[in-house]
């Protein structure tokens, strides 16, 4: 009885305050606390991951609108920071400096961290929408001639984050209208298709080249793209598949499965249409 008497109900307001504070530091909404700097941000990110994965009370407060508002604000903050760091690359006089790429990669790593925790809060759609919105501006920078033979680590990391977005949309975890899904595919598919053989070639030339798309990443992206295509309207599927067949790099991603399904569906639809027209014609004759 003395032990039971000391037990207190969980104070959700305390849990909420801890979680919100951790999110604010993890997303750099709050100013870094000197002298800790980035160490505090990393610690806060770990705290958020722990609370989302291990603390049963966290699920009760993540549904709170104010908490979600703080998380969305953090996502917006990180996206803006990443765009700013990325755009600054084109103004740099020395792009070979590791410090320059590391700065952008740190910002992108924060964005990847958000991509990992948001599904646990049912907010992945927020990430997908933000990523779709900034994708064009991202590629404008990384495909600039100044970065042709540089920043391979950044380019691979971009593909990894995009792969998570494609999986979320392709497998139905995030529902987007067809025009948005088409835009996402048409933006990133050509880039991924171009980068895969370039990275393979660099790896073959230099066995110590550390940046590559490993087998698991390739398979997950390819599967997500196929699923995404098959969920599009038939005309959009046809446009994407026609563009795929025109390119030299048809090996990756391999869209032959999507093409076969599209052909089967098209033939079936045509057959049903012809049968329907025949029935209408026969009915007209009998009248």
């Amino acid at each position: 009885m003395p032990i039971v008497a000391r037990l207190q109900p969980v104070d959700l307001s305390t849990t909420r305050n801890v979680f919100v504070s951790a999110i604010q530091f993890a997303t750099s909404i709050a100013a870094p606390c000197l002298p800790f700097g980035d160490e505090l941000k990393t610690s806060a990110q770990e705290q958020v991951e722990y609370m989302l994965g291990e603390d049963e009370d966290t699920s009760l407060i993540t549904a709170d609108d104010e908490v979600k508002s703080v998380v969305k604000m953090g996502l917006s903050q990180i996206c803006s920071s990443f765009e700013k760091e990325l755009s600054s690359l084109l103004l740099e006089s020395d792009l070979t400096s590791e410090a320059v790429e590391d700065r952008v990669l740190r910002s992108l790593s924060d964005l990847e961290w958000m991509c990992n925790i948001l599904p646990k809060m049912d907010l992945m759609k927020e990430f997908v929408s933000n990523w779709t919105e900034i994708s064009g501006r991202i590629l404008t920078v990384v495909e600039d001639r100044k970065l042709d033979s540089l920043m391979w680590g950044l380019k691979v990391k971009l593909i990894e984050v995009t792969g998570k977005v494609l999986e979320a949309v392709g497998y139905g975890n995030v529902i987007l209208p067809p025009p948005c899904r088409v835009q996402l595919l048409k933006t990133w598919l050509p880039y991924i298709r171009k980068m895969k053989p370039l990275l393979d070639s660099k790896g073959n030339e230099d066995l110590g080249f550390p940046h590559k798309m490993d087998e698991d990443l390739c398979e997950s992206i390819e599967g997500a793209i196929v699923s995404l295509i098959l969920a599009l309207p038939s005309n959009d599927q046809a446009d994407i598949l026609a563009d795929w067949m025109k390119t030299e790099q048809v090996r990756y991603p391999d869209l032959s499965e999507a093409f076969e399904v599209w052909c089967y569906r098209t033939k079936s639809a045509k057959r049903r249409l012809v049968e329907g027209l025949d029935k209408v014609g026969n009915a007209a004759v009998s009248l």
Side-chain angles (χ1 to χ4, degrees):
M1 291 302 294
I3 294 175
V4 173
R6 291 201 300 268
L7 295 178
Q8 298 292 328
V10 175
D11 185 355
L12 289 181
S13 65
T14 301
T15 304
R16 178 184 179 280
N17 291 339
V18 171
F19 186 79
V20 167
S21 296
I23 283 289
Q24 289 175 329
F25 279 109
T27 58
S28 301
I29 294 176
C33 183
L34 297 175
F36 301 105
D38 287 340
E39 292 181 10
L40 182 58
K41 184 171 74 172
T42 301
S43 178
Q45 290 179 351
E46 292 173 352
Q47 176 66 25
V48 171
E49 291 173 1
Y50 170 80
M51 293 183 74
L52 288 173
E54 304 295 335
D55 193 332
E56 296 178 358
D57 301 322
T58 305
S59 60
L60 299 176
I61 59 102
T62 52
D64 184 271
D65 288 340
E66 291 185 17
V67 172
K68 287 187 175 182
S69 178
V70 171
V71 175
K72 291 176 184 178
M73 189 184 303
L75 174 61
S76 177
Q77 175 84 6
I78 290 180
C79 284
S80 297
S81 175
F82 172 63
E83 274 201 272
K84 182 179 179 181
E85 294 288 357
L86 189 66
S87 299
S88 69
L89 290 178
L90 300 183
L91 304 177
E92 291 284 347
S93 57
D94 182 15
L95 287 175
T96 60
S97 169
E98 289 186 8
V100 173
E101 184 175 9
D102 287 345
R103 189 178 68 237
V104 182
L105 277 173
R106 279 199 301 272
S107 183
L108 181 56
S109 293
D110 288 342
L111 204 53
E112 184 181 30
W113 174 77
M114 287 294 287
C115 182
N116 292 333
I117 68 163
L118 289 177
K120 301 174 183 177
M121 302 180 65
D122 294 326
L123 289 175
M124 188 58 181
K125 187 173 183 178
E126 298 293 328
F127 186 93
V128 171
S129 298
N130 275 274
W131 191 254
T132 303
E133 180 183 346
I134 66 176
S135 289
R137 298 192 290 273
I138 291 173
L139 292 180
T140 296
V141 175
V142 297
E143 293 192 296
D144 189 274
R145 292 176 59 185
K146 291 179 66 175
L147 276 68
D148 270 352
S149 57
L150 301 169
M151 305 283 177
W152 295 107
L154 172 63
K155 293 171 181 176
V156 172
K157 181 61 70 175
L158 283 172
I159 293 175
E160 290 175 357
V161 174
T162 301
K164 294 179 181 181
V165 171
L166 292 171
E167 284 185 2
V169 179
Y171 296 127
N173 297 320
V174 172
I175 307 300
L176 294 179
C180 294
R181 284 180 275 148
V182 171
Q183 178 190 347
L184 181 65
L185 263 181
K186 288 189 173 181
T187 300
W188 284 103
L189 181 55
Y191 180 74
I192 293 171
R193 190 167 55 205
K194 179 180 74 173
M195 287 304 302
K196 176 64 165 61
L198 284 176
L199 291 167
D200 288 346
S201 176
K202 293 286 292 183
N204 292 333
E205 293 172 6
D206 179 6
L207 297 180
F209 184 70
H211 310 297
K212 62 179 181 178
M213 293 174 61
D214 61 39
E215 186 175 343
D216 290 340
L217 176 62
C218 291
E219 288 182 359
S220 65
I221 289 178
E222 186 172 84
I225 288 176
V226 169
S227 296
L228 212 165
I229 290 174
L230 292 177
L232 292 175
S234 182
N235 289 342
D236 291 323
Q237 291 184 45
D239 289 342
I240 292 171
L241 292 170
D243 179 67
W244 167 67
M245 287 186 288
K246 290 177 184 176
T247 62
E248 296 179 2
Q249 305 298 337
V250 294
R251 293 185 178 180
Y252 187 85
D254 183 1
L255 304 183
S256 55
E257 179 185 349
F259 178 68
E260 290 173 4
V261 173
W262 176 81
C263 289
Y264 173 78
R265 288 176 177 174
T266 303
K267 290 178 181 177
S268 297
K270 184 177 180 180
R271 184 173 63 252
R272 289 195 298 270
L273 176 62
V274 171
E275 291 174 352
L277 291 175
D278 287 344
K279 289 179 181 178
V280 171
N282 293 335
V285 171
S286 62
L287 291 175

